Amino acid sequence: MASDLLNLGAQSVLTAQRQLNTTGHNISNVNTEGYSRQSVIQGTNMPRQYGGETYGMGVHVEKVRRSWDQFAVNELNVSTTSYANKVDNEENLEMLSSMLSSVASKKIPENLNEWFDGVKSLADSPNDVGARKVVLEKADLITQNLNDFHETIRRQSDVTNKKLDLGIERVNQLAVEIRDLHRLMMRTPGPHNDLMDTHEKLIAELSEYTKVTVTPRKNAEGFNVHIGNGHTLVSGTEASELKMIDGYPDVHQRRLAMIEGKGIKSITTKDIDGKIGAMLTMRDEKIPQLMDELGKLATSFSYEVNKLQSQGLDLRGNLGSLIFTDVNSDIVAKSRVVTSSNSNADVAVYIEDTSQLVGGEYSLQYNDGDYYITRPSGEQFVASVVNDAITLDGIRIEINNDLQAGERVLLRPTRSGAAQMKMATDDPTKIATQSFEASTTFAQGSAKFTMMAAGDVREFEVVVSPTGTEFAVTDTRGNLLLGPQAYPPKGLVDVQGTVFELTDGALPNDKFTANLVPSEGDNGNLRKMLNIQTDKKLNDGESTILDVYHNLNTDVGLQMSTASRLTDVSRLEKEAAQERVASIAGVNLDEEAANMMKFQQAYMASSRIMQAANDTFNTILALR
C-alpha cells in the first residue's frame, strides 16, 4: 500500500508540475502575437480492487489543450481579407483624388477656358495675327497638359504592377513557409500547439493578400491552403507558386497564374480579394477609367475643333486645315485596337459621333461566323456587320481582315486619346475664322456636309429631292451645276474642282449652302467654336467637354467617400473578430496568477502524500 501511495503522490506531483509549467508558458507568452492559451487536461487513473472494494489510483495528464475555435479563426481571416482590400482600395482612390486635385490636373480646365477666351478675342479681330498666335499657344498648352497628365496616370499603372510583383513574391514566400511547417509537423509527434500558432499566424498574413480557405488533410498529413475561388496554393507538404504571365490579347496587361509542378494554369481574379484584389482593381479598372475619361475629353475637343476647321476658310481664303492631330487617321484608328502577337486581324476604330462616345474597353470576338461585342458595361450581343464595318456608340469598327475563329481583340476608343493629342500646325494664318456654311442652309436631317477642296465654284447649294433619293448642285441663282445624282453619293462629289462629302441621313428637301468666297473680318466659324464650350454634346447630351473633367473629379470623390465608409465597417468587423478570438485564445494574467497559486498548492499537497508514503515505508522497515 505504501508503494501505491508513493506512486499516487508521484503522479500527482508530476501532474501539478506540468500544470505549473503550462501556466508559466502562458504567462511568458502573454505578449506573443498569435499565441493561443494552453491548458493541461487531467484525468483520473483506473481504480484498483482490494477485498471487494474499489480504490482510486490518482491522476494523470491526458493532453495539453490549445484554446482554439475554428469558426472564430475563419471569421477573423475573412474579415482580415476584407479589411486589407478596403484599406488599399481607399488609399488608391485617395491617391487618384489627389492627382485630380493637383496643380497639373487643375490646369486642364484652366487651359481650356483660356483657349476659349483666346478664340473670343480673335472673334473680335479675325485678321489679327497676334490674336491667332495666342489661340495656337493656348492650344499647345492644352496638348502638353493632357499629354503630361496622361503620362502621370500611366506611371501609376507601372507602380501598381511593381506592387503586384512584391505582393505575389510575399505570397510565394508564405506558401513555402507553410509547406515547411507542414513537413515539420509530420516529422514530429503531436499535438503541435505552438506550431499551430505559427501556422495560423502565417495564414493570417496570407489573408491580407488574398482570400484563404484552410482544410485539414486525412491522416494528419497537414492542411490544404486554397486562395481565391479554390486555387490550391499549398497541398500538405507541397507548395504551388503564383506568377504574373502575359495577358491575352494585351500582353502588357499581365494576368495571375498558378505554377503547379511543370504546368502553368491561368487563374481568375474575380474572388482574389485582399491587397492583391485591390491592386488588380486599381490597375484594371480605376486607372483605365481615368485614362478613358481624359481621352474622351481630348478626343472630343480635338475632333470638334478640327471638324469646324474643315468647315471654314483661313486667313488666306483656303479651306481650314487641322489644328490638332486627326483623331481618325489610320495610325490612330488602328492604335485603338489591341490584338495578340500572332494575330493577322486588321481592325481599326474610327470616331463618328462624340455625343455617343462611351469610353471604356470593348471586346470583339469572332465565333461561328458571327462577331460578338461585349460593351464596357458587360452587355454582350451579336454585332451587325455592314460593308465590313460595325457601327455603335459613336464609333465605326472597320474590319479589313477578319479575325480567326475564336479570336478576341480589345477595342479602346479613348484610352490613349490624351496621349495622342498633338498640334498639327504652328501657322496662325491657318485658323479658319470664316464659316463656308451660308445662313441659307436648311437641313433637318443628320447628314454631314463637309468641304474637302475649293475649286472654281465658290458659291453653291446642294439640294435633296422631295423623294429623298436624289440630290443636285446649283449656284445661288438656281442654275444647275450638277444634275440629279443618286443619294447618298457613293464617294466624294466633285463640281468643277470643288470637292465635298455628303453623308447619309438627309431628309427630303434638305438644302446645304456653301460660300467659299473670302470675306475679310468674318468670324462665323469662331462663333461656332465658342459653342463647344457650352454645348452639351457628350454623354448623350448631358455634359459639355469641361463637364467630363468635373464629373470625373466628382465620381472619384464619391468613390473615395464610399470606400472610406466601407473601410470603417470592415475595421469594426475585424476588431470584433479579433475580440472573439482573444476571448477564446487570449491569456488572462489574473486567471493565470490564480492558476499558479492553485497548482502550487496542489504540488505541495501532492509532495506531502509522497512524504507520508515514505514515512509509512520506513516504519514498516523498522518493524523488521
Side-chain angles (χ1 to χ4, degrees):
M1 289 294 292
S3 64
D4 288 345
L5 187 63
L6 182 63
N7 186 50
L8 187 149
Q11 289 186 340
S12 297
V13 167
L14 289 174
T15 299
Q17 183 184 30
R18 289 164 183 163
Q19 289 172 326
L20 284 170
N21 287 341
T22 302
T23 301
H25 185 55
N26 288 338
I27 293 172
S28 300
N29 287 280
V30 64
N31 293 318
T32 302
E33 183 182 356
Y35 177 78
S36 299
R37 183 172 62 88
Q38 298 176 13
S39 56
V40 174
I41 306 301
Q42 63 185 44
T44 304
N45 288 336
M46 290 294 294
R48 291 184 181 178
Q49 297 285 336
Y50 291 103
E53 297 295 333
T54 301
Y55 295 91
M57 297 306 296
V59 70
H60 68 277
V61 174
E62 290 189 345
K63 63 178 180 179
V64 179
R65 183 178 65 188
R66 173 172 170 264
S67 298
W68 177 77
D69 183 85
Q70 177 182 355
F71 299 104
V73 171
N74 288 345
E75 183 182 4
L76 177 58
N77 289 337
V78 171
S79 61
T80 297
T81 304
S82 176
Y83 179 63
N85 179 269
K86 299 298 189 297
V87 167
D88 272 29
N89 190 44
E90 182 185 8
E91 290 177 354
N92 291 335
L93 286 169
E94 187 174 358
M95 184 271 295
L96 293 180
S97 180
S98 64
M99 285 173 56
L100 289 170
S101 302
S102 66
V103 175
S105 175
K106 290 180 179 179
K107 281 293 181 182
I108 294 174
E110 289 180 13
N111 289 334
L112 283 168
N113 284 324
E114 286 178 5
W115 184 84
F116 286 113
D117 290 341
V119 172
K120 190 180 297 182
S121 298
L122 180 58
D124 295 334
S125 52
N127 295 336
D128 187 345
V129 177
R132 287 170 173 266
K133 287 182 178 180
V134 169
V135 172
L136 286 186
E137 287 173 0
K138 298 300 182 183
D140 190 36
L141 283 176
I142 292 173
T143 60
Q144 292 181 27
N145 194 188
L146 287 169
N147 295 164
D148 292 344
F149 195 61
H150 174 91
E151 180 60 20
T152 300
I153 300 170
R154 191 202 60 76
R155 283 199 296 266
Q156 286 304 319
S157 184
D158 294 340
V159 170
T160 305
N161 271 322
K162 291 177 181 177
K163 288 182 178 179
L164 268 172
D165 290 337
L166 292 174
I168 290 170
E169 181 182 353
R170 182 53 187 156
V171 167
N172 290 330
Q173 290 174 352
L174 289 170
V176 172
E177 291 177 26
I178 293 170
R179 178 205 65 186
D180 292 344
L181 199 60
H182 289 174
R183 293 178 178 179
L184 181 60
M185 288 180 182
M186 293 181 66
R187 287 199 301 265
T188 58
H192 308 98
N193 292 333
D194 292 329
L195 291 180
M196 283 303 301
D197 285 342
T198 304
H199 188 267
E200 282 189 7
K201 186 178 178 181
L202 293 174
I203 295 296
E205 185 179 352
L206 183 61
S207 297
E208 294 182 3
Y209 290 95
T210 176
K211 184 171 71 175
V212 181
T213 305
V214 181
T215 57
R217 292 168 62 89
K218 295 180 180 179
N219 303 322
E221 295 180 353
F223 301 86
N224 289 333
V225 179
H226 307 282
I227 63 172
N229 55 358
H231 306 291
T232 304
L233 182 66
V234 181
S235 178
T237 57
E238 299 298 329
S240 300
E241 182 184 355
L242 272 184
K243 186 178 181 181
M244 296 295 286
I245 62 174
D246 290 343
Y248 175 84
D250 185 0
V251 295
H252 300 293
Q253 193 169 7
R254 297 181 301 158
R255 300 173 294 165
L256 274 179
M258 187 78 77
I259 300 178
E260 298 176 342
K262 295 183 179 179
I264 299 180
K265 180 183 70 174
S266 178
I267 64 177
T268 58
T269 57
K270 183 178 179 181
D271 298 320
I272 286 293
D273 210 345
K275 290 182 177 180
I276 292 179
M279 286 185 279
L280 288 170
T281 300
M282 175 71 167
R283 188 197 68 175
D284 299 338
E285 296 180 19
K286 306 299 183 185
I287 291 177
Q289 180 195 8
L290 211 60
M291 296 171 73
D292 284 331
E293 290 301 300
L294 201 65
K296 185 196 292 186
L297 183 153
T299 300
S300 300
F301 177 70
S302 56
Y303 177 85
E304 294 298 329
V305 171
N306 285 342
K307 178 182 173 183
L308 287 174
Q309 275 289 113
S310 67
Q311 295 178 8
L313 303 178
D314 63 18
L315 188 60
R316 296 188 175 95
N318 299 320
L319 284 176
S321 57
L322 301 179
I323 288 182
F324 302 106
T325 49
D326 186 5
V327 299
N328 283 330
S329 68
D330 290 340
I331 294 177
V332 173
K334 290 183 178 181
S335 72
R336 296 181 179 125
V337 182
V338 181
T339 61
S340 61
S341 57
N342 59 351
S343 174
N344 294 319
D346 186 0
V347 182
V349 174
Y350 295 89
I351 306 298
E352 287 200 325
D353 188 352
T354 57
S355 66
Q356 297 181 31
L357 272 182
V358 176
E361 182 178 271
Y362 294 77
S363 172
L364 177 66
Q365 189 165 17
Y366 186 68
N367 275 322
D368 300 326
D370 288 322
Y371 279 98
Y372 293 83
I373 286 185
T374 303
R375 279 192 167 102
S377 61
E379 176 194 358
Q380 188 178 53
F381 60 94
V382 178
S384 176
V385 181
V386 179
N387 296 327
D388 295 327
I390 301 170
T391 303
L392 78 159
D393 298 342
I395 61 175
R396 185 178 78 258
I397 307 165
E398 288 193 358
I399 306 171
N400 302 315
N401 192 19
D402 286 334
L403 281 65
Q404 298 297 318
E407 184 180 358
R408 182 169 67 96
V409 300
L410 301 178
L411 313 175
R412 296 166 179 169
T414 64
R415 182 70 51 88
S416 301
Q420 293 169 339
M421 186 179 181
K422 306 289 183 183
M423 293 296 294
T425 182
D426 59 359
D427 186 351
T429 65
K430 291 187 177 181
I431 297 177
T433 59
Q434 177 183 340
S435 174
F436 70 69
E437 186 177 295
S439 59
T440 54
T441 293
F442 178 79
Q444 294 183 325
S446 58
K448 296 178 180 178
F449 175 61
T450 307
M451 293 301 305
M452 309 303 292
D456 295 333
V457 178
R458 290 286 172 164
E459 293 183 81
F460 62 92
E461 295 178 348
V462 180
V463 182
V464 180
S465 67
T467 61
T469 59
E470 292 181 321
F471 76 97
V473 180
T474 66
D475 61 18
T476 54
R477 299 178 180 178
N479 298 318
L480 194 64
L481 298 177
L482 180 67
Q485 305 284 320
Y487 178 79
K490 294 182 179 180
L492 300 178
V493 181
D494 188 334
V495 182
Q496 299 178 27
T498 298
V499 183
F500 64 86
E501 180 184 34
L502 182 62
T503 65
D504 189 14
L507 296 179
N509 296 320
D510 271 1
K511 182 175 66 172
F512 305 88
T513 306
N515 182 2
L516 303 179
V517 178
S519 176
E520 185 176 346
D522 192 323
N523 63 1
N525 214 36
L526 294 176
R527 292 200 304 271
K528 292 180 181 179
M529 287 186 185
L530 289 173
N531 292 333
I532 298 175
Q533 186 177 21
T534 55
D535 283 350
K536 292 189 175 183
K537 296 188 66 175
L538 301 181
N539 300 331
D540 288 330
E542 295 182 357
S543 306
T544 65
I545 286 175
L546 286 172
D547 285 341
V548 172
Y549 172 84
H550 295 305
N551 291 344
L552 184 60
N553 254 306
T554 303
D555 185 46
V556 172
L558 288 173
Q559 288 184 47
M560 189 177 70
S561 177
T562 302
S564 179
R565 290 195 295 271
L566 292 175
T567 301
D568 291 339
V569 172
S570 293
R571 184 183 65 253
L572 293 174
E573 289 177 348
K574 182 181 179 182
E575 289 174 353
Q578 287 174 327
E579 290 176 1
R580 277 190 286 274
V581 171
S583 67
I584 297 169
V587 176
N588 186 317
L589 287 178
D590 292 337
E591 182 181 350
E592 298 301 328
N595 286 338
M596 181 68 74
M597 295 179 62
K598 180 174 68 174
F599 298 144
Q600 184 180 9
Q601 291 175 355
Y603 185 92
M604 294 173 63
S606 298
S607 65
R608 294 298 300 271
I609 295 175
M610 295 179 65
Q611 182 64 46
N614 185 57
D615 293 345
T616 302
F617 190 72
N618 289 334
T619 300
I620 293 174
L621 291 177
L623 291 175
R624 294 183 180 181

